[in-house]
Each structure stands twice: as C-alpha cells, then as structure tokens.
Amino acid sequence: MLNTKDYLLFDGIKLSYLSSENYNQKIAQEDDDNILIITYCYSGKIAWKLNNNDYIYIGPKDFAINLLKTIKNKEIKLLNDSFEALSIFINLNSFTNDIQNIIEIKSNDIYNKLCNKPLCFFAGNEKTESIFQYFYQKNETTLSYYKIKTIELILYLYNTNELSKTCQNEYQAEQIDIIRQIHDQLINNLDKRITIEELSKQYLINPTTLKSLFKSVYGTSLAAHIKEHRMHHAAKLLLETNKSIAEIAYTVGYDSQSKFSIAFKDYFKVLPKEYRKK
C-alpha cells in the first residue's frame, strides 16, 4: 500500500487510504450515518451486492459516491487478492464554514447533487484521474496538495453534468474495461488509423455502444479524443525533436504533410512550422 495514514483535511472532511486488509475496519470506525463517501479505486476491484443477487463493482480509475449508511448495509466482495483505494469522508452534519467559504457550496447542496441515488458508481475519466493521482504523490507539501485537490474534486463533481451519463450498472462494468483497452490500444498506435468497425469486430462490441461508452468514460467522442492525443504528441515532437514535419505527420497517423498541417492549425490556430519557432 502506498499510504496507510488518515488525514483530517478540514472540519468534517477526512482522507483515508484503504486496502483489502483494513477496508471494513475503517468503514466501521465511522459512527455518523450522514457521511458522504467518495471512494476511488487505485488497484484491484471491489464489489457491492445489490438488492438482488447481482454485484456492481469499481476497478482501477473508477470511483463511487454514496452515503455511509448505504455502504454499511451492503455485502462487500473483494474481487482481487489486493485492493487499494482512498476514500474522502464528508460529514454533512459537521461540514463547517472554513470550507464552505472557499467553495461557496453548502452541505445540503452537496447532498442534493451527489446523493440522488443510494449507490452511484462511475467510470473515471481523464479529469478525475488527474485529480485523484495527486493523492498518491508525496512531497513536503503533501497535506496542502490533498486539501487543494479535495476542493477541486468537490467542485468538479458538483458542477459537472457528465456524472448522470456515466453512472454504471452491473451490465456496464465489463464493457468499460473493454473501452479502456480500446483507448490504450489507440493511444499506443497513433500512427495507425484504426476504424470503429475494426475495433467493434476485435472486441465484439456493438459500434454504437462502443461510441456511446467511450464518450461516457472519456468525456468526448472517440475521434475528438484521439485527435487531441495526436495533436499534443505532434506538438511535443515539434518542440523536442529535429524530425521533419512530414515525419511527424506520419508518426501521428497522417499520410500527408498538408492534411496534418490543416488539422494542426485547426487545433492550435498556428501552422506546425510556426509552432516550432516559438
């Protein structure tokens, strides 16, 4: 486990690191049922039993938002020998002015926005991942970063309209794993033009479902997301290497320098050669 400590970030807000060994113990330590828990999975998988015989789980990069009283009443199953996560406990009864003055959101506002369902599980996206990863970095200003990132997380969850679109059910969990595999394949092969039809056949997933789930996980369409990666990788190569523009175009999946230059200018508002001169 990367960290085992608990941190009191603000009055009514605590950060706790969880593992397969201490999960039940740390949940049981909380004695106020009116606690909102945001749980992020770092590694492994954990499942909560629903009212029927189905389970819903979060895996790496996923997160859950629920009330303590809901978690206490659910059977929990660890799906891996090793499970690592963090939870942010927000006591809605003692959520005091020191943080309300910063974020200008009251505890009942948070409750109404984030507790609209007993159990909410979400596929993480690049935004949430960029926030949660800071909780696994250690330096001399660790506690300050934890406080800042907790505020950023609350504000993001409160203001985003994407959560309602990405709340998982027991049928989506395996599909989301497939979407992440597809994402990694595309990012690792930016020089190739892989079609949705090819991915659909390779991963045995309906093209419409693929596009819909990809957008729910990563926040943008598959085409827009991959283009963003292509452009940023190209920009890095322009600044950090002596490769020709034609070579860079090929490296990020364009068969001609002119097509690449048009796409690059559309994205960065300058031509590649102008970008390189900066």
Side-chain angles (χ1 to χ4, degrees), residues 27-55:
I27 293 296
Q29 285 174 354
E30 306 298 329
D31 56 5
D32 190 331
D33 283 348
N34 201 30
I35 292 178
L36 177 70
I37 306 177
I38 303 171
T39 300
Y40 166 78
C41 179
Y42 181 78
S43 66
K45 292 179 182 177
I46 188 170
W48 286 263
K49 188 175 182 180
L50 302 178
N51 292 328
N52 48 33
N53 290 322
D54 293 319
Y55 284 84

Side-chain angles (χ1 to χ4, degrees), residues 184-194 230 251 253:
D184 292 345
Q185 178 179 340
L186 293 171
I187 298 306
N188 292 328
N189 295 278
L190 290 177
D191 59 323
K192 297 181 176 64
R193 290 283 176 171
I194 305 172
R230 284 194 165 104
T251 300

Side-chain angles (χ1 to χ4, degrees), residues 1 3-4 17-26 43-46 76-86:
M1 186 66 193
N3 201 338
T4 58
Y17 288 85
L18 311 173
S19 69
S20 49
E21 289 78 23
N22 69 11
Y23 180 86
N24 289 322
Q25 175 189 354
K26 292 208 173 187
S43 66
K45 292 179 182 177
I46 188 170
I76 297 167
K77 178 189 291 186
L78 297 174
L79 302 182
N80 299 77
D81 292 335
S82 176
F83 167 72
E84 297 179 359
L86 64 82

Side-chain angles (χ1 to χ4, degrees), residues 14-260:
K14 182 180 75 173
L15 169 66
S16 185
Y17 288 85
L18 311 173
S19 69
S20 49
E21 289 78 23
N22 69 11
Y23 180 86
N24 289 322
Q25 175 189 354
K26 292 208 173 187
I27 293 296
Q29 285 174 354
E30 306 298 329
D31 56 5
D32 190 331
D33 283 348
N34 201 30
I35 292 178
L36 177 70
I37 306 177
I38 303 171
T39 300
Y40 166 78
C41 179
Y42 181 78
S43 66
K45 292 179 182 177
I46 188 170
W48 286 263
K49 188 175 182 180
L50 302 178
N51 292 328
N52 48 33
N53 290 322
D54 293 319
Y55 284 84
I56 187 166
Y57 72 82
I58 57 173
K61 301 182 180 181
D62 296 338
F63 63 100
I65 303 175
N66 34 56
L67 286 171
L68 176 65
K69 62 184 178 183
T70 306
I71 292 295
K72 280 185 174 179
N73 296 329
K74 296 295 181 185
E75 178 185 332
I76 297 167
K77 178 189 291 186
L78 297 174
L79 302 182
N80 299 77
D81 292 335
S82 176
F83 167 72
E84 297 179 359
L86 64 82
S87 281
I88 297 171
F89 296 84
I90 303 175
N91 191 317
L92 298 172
N93 292 329
S94 59
F95 190 71
T96 52
N97 290 332
D98 61 342
I99 189 170
Q100 286 188 45
N101 290 336
I102 297 172
I103 64 176
E104 299 179 345
I105 301 173
K106 296 180 180 179
S107 61
N108 59 327
D109 295 330
I110 293 177
Y111 176 86
N112 291 333
K113 179 66 184 284
L114 302 184
C115 300
N116 56 354
K117 294 181 181 179
L119 286 168
C120 285
F121 300 80
F122 304 95
N125 55 44
E126 292 191 338
K127 177 60 178 178
T128 58
E129 183 66 7
S130 70
I131 296 173
F132 282 120
Q133 281 302 304
Y134 272 92
F135 292 102
Y136 290 91
Q137 298 180 15
K138 297 276 289 182
N139 54 51
E140 64 275 9
T141 57
T142 291
L143 184 58
S144 297
Y145 266 114
Y146 290 170
K147 290 181 178 181
I148 291 169
K149 288 299 172 180
T150 297
I151 292 172
E152 182 182 354
L153 178 64
I154 293 172
L155 288 172
Y156 170 76
L157 295 176
Y158 181 80
N159 288 308
T160 185
N161 293 318
E162 293 297 318
L163 292 185
S164 60
K165 301 176 184 177
T166 62
C167 190
Q168 298 182 37
N169 57 44
E170 63 272 24
Y171 305 107
Q172 289 179 307
E174 290 185 4
Q175 290 178 318
I176 288 170
D177 284 342
I178 293 173
I179 293 300
R180 289 216 175 92
Q181 293 176 43
I182 290 172
H183 173 269
D184 292 345
Q185 178 179 340
L186 293 171
I187 298 306
N188 292 328
N189 295 278
L190 290 177
D191 59 323
K192 297 181 176 64
R193 290 283 176 171
I194 305 172
T195 67
I196 289 176
E197 288 71 22
E198 290 171 331
L199 293 169
S200 174
K201 291 178 181 178
Q202 179 181 349
Y203 290 94
L204 302 178
I205 183 171
N206 179 277
T208 302
T209 302
L210 191 163
K211 289 187 287 187
S212 176
L213 277 175
F214 193 98
K215 187 171 184 178
S216 76
V217 173
Y218 292 102
T220 59
S221 69
L222 187 152
H225 186 81
I226 300 307
K227 181 179 179 180
E228 180 180 357
H229 276 277
R230 284 194 165 104
M231 294 299 102
H232 282 282
H233 185 54
K236 183 178 180 181
L237 293 175
L238 285 167
L239 296 179
E240 298 180 3
T241 73
N242 293 320
K243 286 186 175 182
S244 69
I245 293 176
E247 288 178 301
I248 292 173
Y250 179 77
T251 300
V252 295
Y254 288 85
D255 56 10
S256 76
Q257 182 175 327
S258 61
K259 289 180 181 178
F260 166 70

